[in-house]
Amino acid sequence: MAKKILMLLLVCLLLLNTGCWDKQDIEERALVLGIAFDKPPEEELARQRENASEPEHFSPRYSITYIHPLASTVVGKGAGEDTFSSMTITTRSPKEAEREMNTRIDLQLFFGHTDLILFGEDVLKNEEYMKEMMDYLHRNQNINWDAKVAVVQGRAKDVFEMKPTGANLLVPYVVGIMENRRVSSKVSHVTLTQMLTELGQRGTVVLPKINLGKDEVKVEGAAIIQNFKFRGYFTGQEARSLMFLKGTLQGGGIVTKYEDTLISYTIVNSKLEKKLKTTEDGLQMIFKLRTEGQLDEGTYNLDLMDDKLIKTMEKSVAEEITKDAMETIKKLQREYKADVIRVGSYIQKFHPKIWKQVEKDWEEVFSSMDIQVQTDARIRRVGVVE
Amino acid sequence: MDNNKIKISSLQLGILIVVTIMGVGILAVPRIVVQDVGSDGWLLILIGGGFSLIATMIIHALGSRFPNKQFFDYTTELIGKPLASIVVIVYTLYFIPICAFIIRIFGEVLKMYLLPRTPIEVIIITFLLALAYLIRQGLEAIVRFYEIMLFLMIIPFLLSLLAGTYKVDYTNLLPVFQSSPLDMMKSSLQLFLSFLGFESALLFIPYVADHKNTKKSMIIAISFVTVIYLFTTMLVISTFGVDETGQLIWPLMSYVKAIEVPGSFIEQLEGIIMTIWVFFAYTTSSTLYFSGSITLSKLTGVKDYRVYVMLILPIIYILALLPGNIAEVYDWDSRVSIYLGATVAFIIPLLLLVVSILRKKGEKTHG
């Protein structure tokens, strides 16, 4: 009998002790939904330096903003109250900012559900800062690798302070716009995994760009990071061409001129094929784009049930795509010498012998390379009127 | 253990080999294969699997010559008592430290991803106690436990990995056949270490009831592990590319973190994978721990290995905590595995087999 009681006590002890060390209630956690990295503006620095408790240690390089929901208001009170809290910390390093946060709020930061990571354009202009931030994000074991990454023209922090009309939840609102890449060809979408992988390979990556409006944000265009440094922006149209050339375009529309009228073409499906040719002048790279889609706007006078007409329209759509793509390629080759359309990795994978010859001065080879685009656009459907 | 009473089936032996090989190593395998030969890495798995198959066949050939004798008994018969004692010492010095390092790596990963505030000493001691509990129940209980675990481990593991397959770039596996054969051979020796674990079959072949199926189930076991390794490595390399895979300490964990489940119905599968992976570590270290206590009991001539289960627990605990950091653990681990691993899994069985053929001891190999 005594033995049985002892056993029972031991079992109870086991149950009571399970997981006690790492127990954490959800309301003790600050689920950081978004992080914004900025360079602190000079005037603010000057002001803070005067008030700093240890002025000799005050040499901040980043200003980092975290946004997290307030558990108490999400559960308890009604509308009208702020459901999110955003706090900005000015520090020397990203990890230090995290620790600094813990001295100001009674919660513990948790990055497992982070959905959005934004970079202000200024902070990306410094190579050292960029590498430091990348290492911080890479090394962090908790961070959500699925988080979306974007560059903000201006200050990234302002995105978190904006109150969008019609949308209550800020981070899901911004992420939701990025998810629209399925219907808009101007919106791109890069996850933390993709960014870290591409930066790790070549130090070059193209990130979506966020433009700030008064009560809204606009995701359009892209920013190019080369050798861990911000170099410049692409317009929405160029960003679309880049997506075409990378084979990541998921949908969206193209408006082009046909004779005197404008026609609008919606891409439903796009495919990319690459080919390398060795000619007398050197290497020639051919991008073959194939798109399928629907014509949404013609003009009232045209009879779109005419196959010949559709064929000529297909041609003008294809020409438009080719023209845009060629312009973007020229810009990449001349202005940046940046191979973000993965010509190099294509050669490395499928023509390893050629790659060994050109690997050393790839930037030069790329910038003087002959790159051709061939587009085959198909109009499959024309809507419901003739 | 009484040789006449305890019997396991050949299927159970196969399962024991599978769950012993697949352990903490699986998290790091993609990194190991790409480190020296880049995108040729995934081919290495086939070569490494081939090596292991040969080594397993040698072990089987040796075991089947003495179907009713324990490994150390026929070793003594073959090469005499003094030399046999040295062999036993080598095996003991292999099983116990390797077990300790595996437990340390297990503790490090668990602390990193799951229990950040629990001291690693506590993780390790509770794990060791759970191991000791199972091992004291004897071989039959262990293999029956493995039988249940195999399905609980493999099915959810593969399902979670499959969730990430729809959006990866398989061209990352190219180009192939770029590195020199010499480099390939060198690296596959490294990889061979990830297949270690099958050498414990030396101790357990005598217990198999249906002897004629042993060979078949051993071949199936090694091939199964090769396929799983190949599948996970190809997935990880396709997702991250060669450069990134080489940088990550545990590429498989990072892959699981990066999985985007369509529709975002489930986010973050690492919790599931972590839970399953605890069993991977548990089954591997329990076989090694068990083998370690058996060899030690042979060495000292004590009949019951159970005495040693509790005695070597503190030794494993101390060994596990000895390395200062994770880099040192992998350093020690690879040193012990390279020198001792190849010896115990390949060289000693091969020498013993040659001796037994030359001295015409044991039965003729059948099949």
Side-chain angles (χ1 to χ4, degrees):
Chain A
M1 192 62 200
K3 215 175 176 184
K4 272 186 187 165
I5 292 170
L6 187 70
M7 281 299 287
L8 201 70
L9 283 175
L10 278 174
V11 170
C12 290
L13 196 70
L14 203 67
L15 286 176
L16 289 173
N17 281 326
T18 310
C20 63
W21 238 298
D22 280 281
K23 184 208 84 166
Q24 194 174 34
D25 288 331
I26 193 155
E27 56 264 33
E28 287 169 13
R29 267 188 174 175
L31 300 169
V32 178
L33 287 181
I35 315 173
F37 293 91
D38 278 304
K39 199 177 158 192
E42 280 308 318
E43 62 270 28
E44 201 183 305
L45 273 185
R47 193 166 41 84
Q48 284 197 7
R49 194 169 284 123
E50 280 171 24
N51 302 329
S53 50
E54 299 163 87
E56 63 274 17
H57 291 302
F58 191 78
S59 57
R61 305 193 291 170
Y62 302 93
S63 118
I64 299 174
T65 310
Y66 301 95
I67 184 165
H68 64 92
L70 297 166
S72 54
T73 54
V74 170
V75 182
K77 294 157 200 171
E81 300 230 10
D82 275 348
T83 35
F84 286 92
S85 134
S86 79
M87 270 181 111
T88 307
I89 308 281
T90 317
T91 55
R92 281 178 300 181
S93 82
K95 192 70 198 175
E96 203 174 60
E98 222 180 277
R99 295 195 192 106
E100 179 79 20
M101 268 297 270
N102 287 330
T103 65
R104 299 199 193 174
I105 56 171
D106 57 343
L107 308 171
Q108 278 161 20
L109 298 188
F110 180 68
F111 295 95
H113 296 283
T114 304
D115 274 339
L116 191 61
I117 299 172
L118 299 176
F119 297 97
E121 116 197 319
D122 284 337
V123 79
L124 293 183
K125 283 178 182 159
N126 188 316
E127 190 182 327
E128 191 195 329
Y129 289 10
M130 177 89 193
K131 280 187 176 158
E132 201 171 66
M133 288 185 291
M134 287 313 118
D135 186 73
Y136 165 74
L137 293 170
H138 213 165
R139 214 171 280 285
N140 189 332
Q141 73 271 23
N142 280 324
I143 206 150
N144 179 12
W145 280 48
D146 220 8
K148 314 287 177 289
V149 192
V151 176
V152 180
Q153 188 167 27
R155 294 198 67 193
K157 178 190 172 200
D158 295 341
V159 173
F160 290 155
E161 275 163 13
M162 168 203 67
K163 293 215 163 36
T165 27
N168 251 336
L169 308 172
L170 183 84
V171 171
Y173 159 72
V174 180
V175 173
I177 296 176
M178 289 182 175
E179 295 287 344
N180 276 348
R181 72 203 162 108
R182 291 195 186 87
V183 288
S184 166
S185 58
K186 287 180 176 172
V187 178
S188 54
H189 160 125
V190 172
T191 63
L192 184 60
T193 318
Q194 287 164 340
M195 180 175 85
L196 292 174
T197 324
E198 288 190 30
L199 275 176
Q201 273 163 9
R202 258 169 246 100
T204 302
V205 71
V206 172
L207 298 177
K209 170 186 159 204
I210 290 184
N211 304 299
L212 257 170
K214 195 165 160 280
D215 288 322
E216 56 167 23
V217 296
K218 191 172 177 194
V219 182
E220 192 184 347
I224 177 168
I225 315 279
Q226 194 181 12
N227 298 328
F228 293 95
K229 226 170 157 178
F230 169 78
R231 289 288 306 275
Y233 288 118
F234 291 107
T235 63
Q237 208 167 48
E238 287 164 340
R240 180 181 69 201
S241 300
L242 281 179
M243 279 193 279
F244 255 131
L245 296 167
K246 280 160 87 178
T248 55
L249 194 83
Q250 291 209 330
I254 287 167
V255 177
T256 182
K257 235 180 169 175
Y258 174 72
E259 289 173 353
D260 294 332
T261 59
L262 287 176
I263 53 172
S264 161
Y265 173 70
T266 304
I267 300 158
V268 179
N269 208 341
S270 83
K271 248 188 196 158
L272 172 69
E273 241 176 76
K274 290 179 199 168
K275 227 179 185 175
L276 185 77
K277 272 188 189 165
T278 29
T279 57
E280 287 161 17
D281 314 325
L283 299 171
Q284 188 191 37
M285 187 78 191
I286 300 168
F287 282 78
K288 279 187 184 168
L289 306 173
R290 208 168 292 159
T291 67
E292 284 186 13
Q294 176 174 348
L295 202 68
D296 290 321
E297 284 174 330
T299 216
Y300 222 64
N301 305 327
L302 293 172
D303 178 13
L304 285 178
M305 287 305 273
D306 180 359
D307 183 45
K308 266 186 200 153
L309 184 66
I310 288 185
K311 285 266 149 65
T312 50
M313 280 180 166
E314 280 176 350
K315 227 176 221 171
S316 54
V317 171
E319 271 165 21
E320 177 82 15
I321 295 174
T322 311
K323 199 186 88 209
D324 283 353
M326 286 307 293
E327 273 170 19
T328 311
I329 291 174
K330 288 271 140 60
K331 191 171 174 181
L332 281 179
Q333 287 183 311
R334 294 202 185 125
E335 221 169 291
Y336 300 118
K337 294 188 180 177
D339 174 22
V340 293
I341 50 178
R342 300 178 192 153
V343 179
S345 74
Y346 171 80
I347 299 178
Q348 186 186 6
K349 282 169 187 169
F350 294 95
H351 303 275
K353 274 184 195 143
I354 299 176
W355 177 247
K356 266 177 202 149
Q357 295 162 15
V358 295
E359 193 182 355
K360 266 183 207 151
D361 37 19
W362 174 241
E363 275 189 9
E364 294 307 314
V365 176
F366 172 76
S367 61
S368 61
M369 204 173 166
D370 180 16
I371 302 178
Q372 294 297 327
V373 179
Q374 293 168 2
T375 314
D376 179 16
R378 291 286 166 87
I379 297 172
R380 296 287 186 212
R381 276 156 289 271
V382 293
V384 293
V385 288
E386 286 196 349
Chain B
M1 289 193 309
D2 194 343
N3 196 9
N4 301 320
K5 276 185 205 156
I6 298 166
K7 285 286 174 202
I8 59 175
S9 71
S10 61
L11 178 72
Q12 283 172 325
L13 180 73
I15 291 172
L16 182 137
I17 294 174
V18 170
V19 298
T20 306
I21 297 178
M22 286 204 293
V24 292
I26 195 162
L27 292 187
V29 164
R31 167 169 58 93
I32 294 169
V33 298
V34 300
Q35 242 159 18
D36 292 327
V37 293
S39 52
D40 281 335
W42 56 278
L43 290 170
L44 280 188
I45 299 214
L46 294 174
I47 303 175
F51 268 167
S52 323
L53 208 57
I54 296 169
T56 326
M57 285 305 93
I58 292 171
I59 289 173
H60 173 261
L62 181 64
S64 60
R65 288 181 82 89
F66 305 94
N68 295 314
K69 274 191 190 138
Q70 297 258 340
F71 174 57
F72 297 115
D73 296 342
Y74 62 70
T75 309
T76 317
E77 195 181 313
L78 284 174
I79 53 175
K81 187 108 191 162
L83 276 176
S85 305
I86 293 173
V87 169
V88 179
I89 290 173
V90 169
Y91 275 84
T92 317
L93 284 181
Y94 165 75
F95 284 128
I96 293 174
I98 287 290
C99 179
F101 297 144
I102 284 174
I103 291 172
R104 173 63 182 268
I105 294 169
F106 164 80
E108 290 286 348
V109 176
L110 209 65
K111 194 172 165 61
M112 180 72 96
Y113 287 104
L114 219 56
L115 305 169
R117 281 185 296 175
T118 309
I120 193 154
E121 291 83 357
V122 176
I123 298 177
I124 288 178
I125 198 79
T126 35
F127 193 66
L128 274 172
L129 287 172
L131 280 173
Y133 175 72
L134 176 70
I135 290 159
R136 283 179 59 86
Q137 309 304 312
L139 181 63
E140 278 177 321
I142 293 174
V143 292
R144 256 180 266 141
F145 175 75
Y146 287 175
E147 265 182 297
I148 302 166
M149 285 334 287
L150 182 74
F151 296 100
L152 288 180
M153 278 154 60
I154 300 294
I155 294 170
F157 179 74
L158 289 182
L159 281 181
S160 337
L161 291 194
L162 277 175
T165 48
Y166 82 111
K167 230 183 67 180
V168 295
D169 180 8
Y170 291 104
T171 58
N172 279 334
L173 297 171
L174 293 170
V176 288
F177 303 119
Q178 290 307 303
S179 8
S180 68
L182 194 72
D183 282 347
M184 294 278 269
M185 278 308 171
K186 262 192 221 157
S187 313
S188 48
L189 191 71
Q190 270 284 325
L191 184 70
F192 176 68
L193 306 177
S194 306
F195 278 93
L196 283 181
F198 58 81
E199 71 283 350
S200 51
L202 271 177
L203 303 178
F204 305 121
I205 287 178
Y207 298 108
V208 178
D210 47 339
H211 253 297
K212 55 182 191 304
N213 294 331
T214 314
K215 191 175 185 179
K216 200 171 84 189
S217 65
M218 284 171 90
I219 293 175
I220 292 174
I222 299 283
S223 324
F224 183 75
V225 175
T226 312
V227 170
I228 300 257
Y229 273 9
L230 191 66
F231 175 66
T232 45
T233 306
M234 284 171 90
L235 257 187
V236 172
I237 296 179
S238 312
T239 308
F240 292 123
V242 170
D243 300 311
E244 175 75 2
T245 310
Q247 272 189 24
L248 298 163
I249 299 182
W250 297 297
L252 187 62
M253 255 340 265
S254 303
Y255 165 77
V256 174
K257 281 191 81 73
I259 291 176
E260 247 184 289
V261 182
S264 308
F265 176 61
I266 315 173
E267 258 186 16
Q268 313 215 330
L269 294 165
E270 75 243 44
I272 302 174
I273 289 282
M274 227 31 245
T275 319
I276 302 164
W277 183 76
V278 170
F279 295 122
F280 275 75
Y282 185 81
T283 49
T284 307
S285 37
S286 64
T287 310
L288 293 174
Y289 193 162
F290 185 45
S291 311
S293 32
I294 292 178
T295 48
L296 208 59
S297 70
K298 288 285 169 211
L299 187 67
T300 47
V302 177
K303 276 245 167 85
D304 193 359
Y305 75 95
R306 284 188 182 83
V307 181
Y308 285 101
V309 175
M310 281 331 231
L311 274 179
I312 57 178
L313 194 143
I315 300 173
I316 295 182
Y317 176 77
I318 290 166
L319 277 177
L321 289 174
L322 222 48
N325 53 46
I326 187 70
E328 212 179 317
V329 183
Y330 273 107
D331 208 35
W332 285 34
D333 182 40
S334 65
R335 249 183 260 166
V336 173
S337 335
I338 283 179
Y339 298 122
L340 280 178
T343 316
V344 299
F346 190 70
I347 298 170
I348 292 179
L350 184 67
L351 289 177
L352 287 175
L353 184 66
V354 171
V355 171
S356 78
I357 291 170
L358 289 180
R359 295 187 59 186
K360 297 201 175 73
K361 295 252 176 166
E363 295 172 22
K364 279 220 167 114
T365 40
H366 36 77

